[in-house]
Amino acid sequence: LTGSSRESYTQLINDVGIPGAKEKKITAVTQVPAAASVSAGDSHAVALVFVDQTVTIGNGAPTNTASSVRVTLDKVGGRWLVSGFEPV
């Protein structure tokens, strides 16, 4: 992650995600069955990512969800880093 996306994600995970997961014993497994390029350049790209997720809370039954996300990537220091993440 890079830029404001990194800061927002880190804050969300530290303030909400980790405490909630520990308190309610939440586990999540995520798979990406497919992805497609929307646009690509030398240092910026956008991809549509299809996500399947299974969430279990405590001893409850697992819940399955499917979604799609628009992921923006920027090349920073020779590495592609996520700079945006938007559910669609």
Side-chain angles (χ1 to χ4, degrees):
L1 294 168
T2 187
S4 63
S5 289
R6 180 180 178 152
E7 295 163 11
S8 297
Y9 181 79
T10 300
Q11 183 176 2
L12 176 66
I13 291 301
N14 288 331
D15 294 349
V16 179
I18 294 171
K22 287 180 179 179
E23 180 182 324
K24 296 180 180 180
K25 297 182 180 174
I26 299 170
T27 59
V29 176
T30 304
Q31 296 181 340
V32 176
S37 174
V38 174
S39 64
D42 292 339
S43 61
H44 182 82
V46 178
L48 179 60
V49 179
F50 297 92
V51 179
D52 292 337
Q53 187 173 54
T54 301
V55 176
T56 305
I57 301 173
N59 293 327
T63 303
N64 298 311
T65 58
S67 60
S68 55
V69 182
R70 180 183 171 101
V71 179
T72 305
L73 303 126
D74 290 317
K75 197 168 190 179
V76 179
R79 295 174 44 206
W80 286 96
L81 302 177
V82 174
S83 59
F85 191 86
E86 177 187 357
V88 291

